[in-house]
Amino acid sequence: MIKTFFTLIICLICLQSFAQDSIAVKREFANKEYIHLYKENADLAYTAPGGELGAPSKYVINGRLTTTYMLLGSYKSPIAFAIIPDFTVRVRNEFSAAVRTPSYRLGGALYARLNPDPEHYKYAELAFTHHSNGQDQSAFNPDGTINTRTGNFNANYLTLSYRFGDFTPISADESYYSFNYRLGLQWYKFFRYEPALNEGFGFTRVLYGFSWRRYDEIEKKARNKQKVKSEKETWRLNTELSYAVNKIPSKNFANIQKRLNAEINFNYSFPFMNNVFLMAAVGYYGEDNYNIYFQDHYSYVRFGLSSGFLRNRSRHYDN
């Protein structure tokens, strides 16, 4: 009887230890996989000849360069941290091909994993960003208009986002999809900013984003495949909306023409491309987000190349 009792105790201890080990392995796997999700959900960089077609100014080429430096991204922690530089320039269509007022953003993002399932992920993101244009002249012209040529622009803001998404099962042709969502809120007035922004800037914005992505097996006929499948993100459809909800002089809450920013872009990668898309976008700026140009509003289209931390990896046959 005593021997049976001790045997049961030992079995219970072993089962508990095994369960704890299984939970620990699952958490470590989730922590590691979420790092890829944080980077894949970051904004794409792009190069666009002609820039935003439809803008009040004409451009030779526009470019956005952004990346993610993941300083903290360990399998041991559900918390991650990254430094994110984000630089946009518009080269003007004039004799000197001037840039005039580039848009510099530099900040950091803190991520918190909210569940252990990367296939149906949920996480929170809190980012701080400094935004300036490298100019130091008065933001106002003598006639009281905004100085978009050499006028100072500086602002700092927080962005709180809830991101979630789902991956579909892998189909018979080895393709699958992901549906990715973002709900967020952006605040500027917690920090110092250029006083000229009081003339009509969206200091508080509600954010929404949706991204539909397809992944396919590539290099199906390669002779050196062995026991792995090469897969990549084939295309990505992004929709991004933001709406200013703060008080704006002479603009009521329903003034969509001033308050709404919206863009839909489609990015496609041919099988021979690696980590790059052909990009086409159509959108509307109620408030041009290119620093000191915040009073401009217009519809636009954009064509070019885009890139980011795209899914492009090898997967074993038994996965």
Side-chain angles (χ1 to χ4, degrees):
M1 185 71 180
I2 295 176
K3 184 177 180 181
T4 302
F5 175 76
F6 279 110
T7 300
L8 288 173
I9 293 295
I10 292 172
C11 288
L12 287 173
I13 292 173
C14 290
L15 288 172
Q16 184 179 19
S17 177
F18 177 77
Q20 290 176 344
D21 288 344
S22 298
I23 292 173
V25 169
K26 185 176 181 179
R27 287 175 177 171
E28 289 181 358
F29 174 78
N31 292 338
K32 184 177 179 180
E33 290 300 302
Y34 266 71
I35 299 302
H36 299 296
L37 292 171
Y38 302 148
K39 294 191 289 185
E40 287 178 21
N41 285 339
D43 291 339
L44 297 176
Y46 64 78
T47 298
E52 278 77 23
L53 304 177
S57 299
K58 303 301 180 184
Y59 299 100
V60 177
I61 191 169
N62 290 1
R64 179 181 184 182
L65 181 62
T66 181
T67 190
T68 301
Y69 298 122
M70 193 63 65
L71 296 185
L72 174 61
S74 170
Y75 69 91
K76 296 181 179 180
S77 174
I79 304 298
F81 177 75
I83 297 295
I84 303 175
D86 186 349
F87 308 138
T88 304
V89 296
R90 297 176 177 177
V91 180
R92 303 176 70 85
N93 188 7
E94 54 190 35
F95 178 75
S96 63
V99 172
R100 288 193 186 169
T101 57
S103 200
Y104 299 105
R105 293 182 178 90
L106 181 62
L110 186 68
Y111 309 92
R113 176 176 61 79
L114 300 180
N115 80 346
D117 185 1
E119 300 298 311
H120 306 282
Y121 68 87
K122 299 175 184 179
Y123 68 88
E125 176 184 335
L126 178 63
F128 169 80
T129 307
H130 169 74
H131 186 187
S132 60
N133 67 348
Q135 304 293 330
D136 59 3
Q137 300 299 309
S138 172
F140 290 102
N141 292 313
D143 63 359
T145 59
I146 297 296
N147 176 12
T148 59
R149 192 178 186 91
T150 59
N152 168 69
F153 176 92
N154 71 83
N156 303 277
Y157 57 94
L158 287 174
T159 306
L160 178 63
S161 301
Y162 170 57
R163 294 186 185 260
F164 59 100
D166 298 281
F167 287 81
T168 65
I170 298 173
S171 63
D173 65 355
E174 299 298 332
S175 67
Y176 60 102
Y177 297 86
S178 70
F179 301 92
N180 311 272
Y181 305 87
R182 178 193 189 187
L183 302 175
L185 189 62
Q186 199 169 76
W187 304 275
Y188 280 80
K189 279 203 170 181
F190 287 158
F191 308 98
R192 189 180 67 176
Y193 61 89
E194 165 57 50
L197 300 187
N198 289 319
E199 296 297 309
F201 187 75
F203 286 104
T204 305
R205 285 187 166 272
V206 176
L207 311 176
Y208 171 79
F210 168 72
S211 181
W212 180 19
R213 306 166 193 172
R214 176 178 170 123
Y215 312 87
D216 288 286
E217 182 187 0
I218 59 171
E219 300 179 356
K220 294 182 179 181
K221 298 181 181 180
R223 296 182 180 180
N224 62 346
K225 286 178 60 175
Q226 298 178 357
K227 291 187 177 182
V228 297
K229 297 175 182 179
S230 297
E231 64 179 24
K232 67 178 289 184
E233 183 177 337
T234 304
W235 54 256
R236 179 184 297 200
L237 176 69
N238 290 330
T239 300
E240 299 173 1
L241 302 172
S242 75
Y243 199 83
V245 296
N246 59 288
K247 183 177 180 180
I248 297 177
S250 303
K251 306 293 181 183
N252 61 37
F253 185 77
N255 194 295
I256 296 176
Q257 186 179 16
K258 166 61 183 174
R259 295 178 178 271
L260 176 68
N261 280 10
E263 178 176 301
I264 181 168
N265 59 70
F266 184 72
N267 306 267
Y268 181 80
S269 181
F270 286 102
F272 54 81
M273 293 179 171
N274 190 301
N275 209 54
V276 67
F277 290 124
L278 294 178
M279 176 265 297
V282 59
Y284 174 77
Y285 286 135
E287 176 181 287
D288 190 346
N289 58 20
Y290 191 65
N291 55 62
I292 199 65
Y293 291 83
F294 66 92
Q295 288 192 331
D296 288 346
H297 55 89
Y298 56 91
S299 300
Y300 64 88
V301 294
R302 184 195 308 123
F303 302 99
L305 300 174
S306 61
S307 184
F309 289 96
L310 312 182
R311 185 164 299 203
N312 195 320
R313 64 187 185 184
S314 296
R315 176 162 48 86
H316 284 275
Y317 282 117
D318 55 357
N319 283 357

